[in-house]
Amino acid sequence: MPRRPPPSRRRAPRQERAQATCDAILTATARVLLKDGYEAASTNRIAQEAGVSVGSLYQYFPSKEGLVTALMEQHRARGLADFEAGLVPLASQPLPVAMRALIRQVIMVKRENPRLHQVLHELMPRMRQWGLSDIYSQRLFRLVRAFLAPRFEELRPRNLDMAVFVLVNAVEALCHTAVTDRPDYLEDESFVEEVAALALGYLRPEPATAAPRRTARERVVRM
Amino acid sequence: MPRRPPPSRRRAPRQERAQATCDAILTATARVLLKDGYEAASTNRIAQEAGVSVGSLYQYFPSKEGLVTALMEQHRARGLADFEAGLVPLASQPLPVAMRALIRQVIMVKRENPRLHQVLHELMPRMRQWGLSDIYSQRLFRLVRAFLAPRFEELRPRNLDMAVFVLVNAVEALCHTAVTDRPDYLEDESFVEEVAALALGYLRPEPATAAPRRTARERVVRM
Amino acid sequence: MPRRPPPSRRRAPRQERAQATCDAILTATARVLLKDGYEAASTNRIAQEAGVSVGSLYQYFPSKEGLVTALMEQHRARGLADFEAGLVPLASQPLPVAMRALIRQVIMVKRENPRLHQVLHELMPRMRQWGLSDIYSQRLFRLVRAFLAPRFEELRPRNLDMAVFVLVNAVEALCHTAVTDRPDYLEDESFVEEVAALALGYLRPEPATAAPRRTARERVVRM
Amino acid sequence: MPRRPPPSRRRAPRQERAQATCDAILTATARVLLKDGYEAASTNRIAQEAGVSVGSLYQYFPSKEGLVTALMEQHRARGLADFEAGLVPLASQPLPVAMRALIRQVIMVKRENPRLHQVLHELMPRMRQWGLSDIYSQRLFRLVRAFLAPRFEELRPRNLDMAVFVLVNAVEALCHTAVTDRPDYLEDESFVEEVAALALGYLRPEPATAAPRRTARERVVRM
DNA sequence: TATGAATGAGTGTTCATTCAT
DNA sequence: TATGAATGAACACTCATTCAT
């Protein structure tokens, strides 16, 4: 029982001019969102910024909600496509190599336009409230799952779904939080190393507790 | 150039009755925020829910912003105090034991009132926008730093600040995301195990890689 | 299954000042409706005319619809009360006397403020569209029915309900149309006579048609 | 100071195709008016329903107002023509026969498309507001007047104009109100009888007050 | 001639905040 | 101190109409 089709578009632009208008509006939305945040971003303001009239805005987008949703979708679709494109050549790489590359890519993407990423990120709860299922998260999840599945036997975790949940969310959160709280980390190669260490340390089988016998106490402490 | 003092309180309640009013308002704010979200939570509505007049509300809080800030502060102060209280007896425990205990505690706290946690979490960007520095995050950071510092020598990471950043944010994000996306995980003991594995795997020294010598480059690449 | 309670009031005014505001708004509504008609009567315009802010308007009335409904109700309640008051002393009067008096009263009422009557009359379809059942029409119907019932035996019509429908609507329509199309009739005593003749001629038993007997069919056809 | 010529048409369609377009628009207007009412009937919506562009609509009609006026005119012209056609063969019939036939016809016409009749009826005040004189009412009036004039000597009323006003408006109102409030009456042959009784009772000379003499007082009372 | 993209004034309504009582 | 009536700027959104193509 689907609630309603994603109300992000009202009608497809037929003429070339219309497509341009449509794009201008979306771009302006991003700009205004950046400058003023969601609340302060009025549709009139956005239209003005786009150099069109409010009427035109509502010709292509059914509501402010829909407009923002459309922007979000565009953004996430691109992000996901990039991610997938980056993932393909890494399929055959050793895990550590691939992991570092992926993390680096995630950071690069966010570094491109940190404010936009941040703003859209903060918009996500609202989207959920609007009843939009987050198909992009699901696709990302499936992508990572497919990437991990072939090597899962050699890794420590036994619950693939949970492992993907842990990895995806931890990495995403770290990269995102860095944008906001520690932008310097984004430029710091050792940050990539640490995030990779987190991911790889999570997946790596625990060390066969070797030779010299230890008391339980020692074993626990030493880790 | 100090922005302005945190605008959370207009004036301290002197009389007992006033304190009660103040509490009632804060409680009502939480209730309304839960039910309706931030936008739909009007000050009139909150006052009504608290059983006082809007006028009274504005006697104790200078603005809606201030009201929400006060609630947030109360909430975070409590959370931090709890965390600190839980941390003390763990100082002498082996790391894995302590880590599991801490993670369990974080989850428990969120499980208590997931919706409130979620709502307040989603309010944080707005706080930042209001120019409030997040002193609680800083204190949490210092707490964990102090907890980790004595054992840091035996652990893998070499940058303590970055390690704390990584751990705090990864754990927090996982627990928080689980509230929203996978509430079932909150009841699942194996989720605690996985989050602990993530943290401990991150801190654990890499296994002494035996025999054949490698170049630094190689070492970095392999897992 | 009643759709919703008549949405005419938001909250009752407690203080004296509030009651005054409320009245001022209703009065202003009538004034603006008169001048500009329903569509052109914006709520901001009405508030201005009432000398209050829009906000106050919406404190007492939940919507433009509700505001107009309230005005209509006030108006019709008064009209009906007047009608009932006029009807009581006529109960014992001979029918023709009573009928003329009633018609005269209906005309008088409309003559008092013809434009307002007209505007509100034209608003009625919209009310129906809003799903408001017209309780005043029903009460009027019952009133007239009760007035007619005791003498119904001596009258021609055999279906009391239909007779009331015919009388009420014919008289009302004539008086109303006269307001719009022939205001001069409202001042013309012979118009009262004619409307009364219409009503009485309708109720009066057909003259005993003398001599040659006829079939039922024939009787229906002849005059 | 002539207001302006009836703004119902912008220019007469010359080509056949143009006439078809014009008709399509008018038909669509009726359809949309039926479905959505006047306010909700936007010109874009109407154009869409007609399968043409808004631009084309404005090529044939100067405004929404004009469009609706044109529809109204078409509709009333037809109604009047029908009425006139029905009237001709009745000229030589006895009054009661003719009256019943006419009333029956009025009801039939409304029964055909009750919603459209209702919608257009409710639009009439707006037309008046637009400054359009209602030439169809006038023609109807003249038609009925001409019908009644030859027999007027034998009837009770002494003011022909007023009698026509009373008859036309009473019959019209009853039939129209029945459409809205008592659609069952439209199917009820006895309703025709009652309306006819109303009209004929109005026209019929008062019964020759027979034999036993009465005081004026008595006469009035007795009816 | 037909199209449909573009316009923008104008609408109903909300809500944080003030201040007379 | 407490009240709650009053405020009014601001918002999302519509729709009759125009005009470049």
Side-chain angles (χ1 to χ4, degrees), chain C residues 11 21 53 55-56 60:
Chain C
R11 83 160 182 245
T21 301
S53 68
S56 293
Y60 298 105

Side-chain angles (χ1 to χ4, degrees), chain B residues 1 39 64 66 97 104 128 137 144 156 213 220 223:
Chain B
M1 180 181 34
E39 337 258 85
K64 188 183 178 184
V97 173
R104 209 168 272 120
R128 247 195 303 273
S137 293
V144 174
R156 184 201 52 79
R213 308 185 67 114
V220 167
M223 168 153 164

Side-chain angles (χ1 to χ4, degrees), chain A residues 94-107:
Chain A
L95 192 57
V97 175
M99 191 64 82
R100 278 187 190 80
L102 285 176
I103 290 166
R104 209 169 271 122
Q105 194 191 346
V106 171
I107 289 176

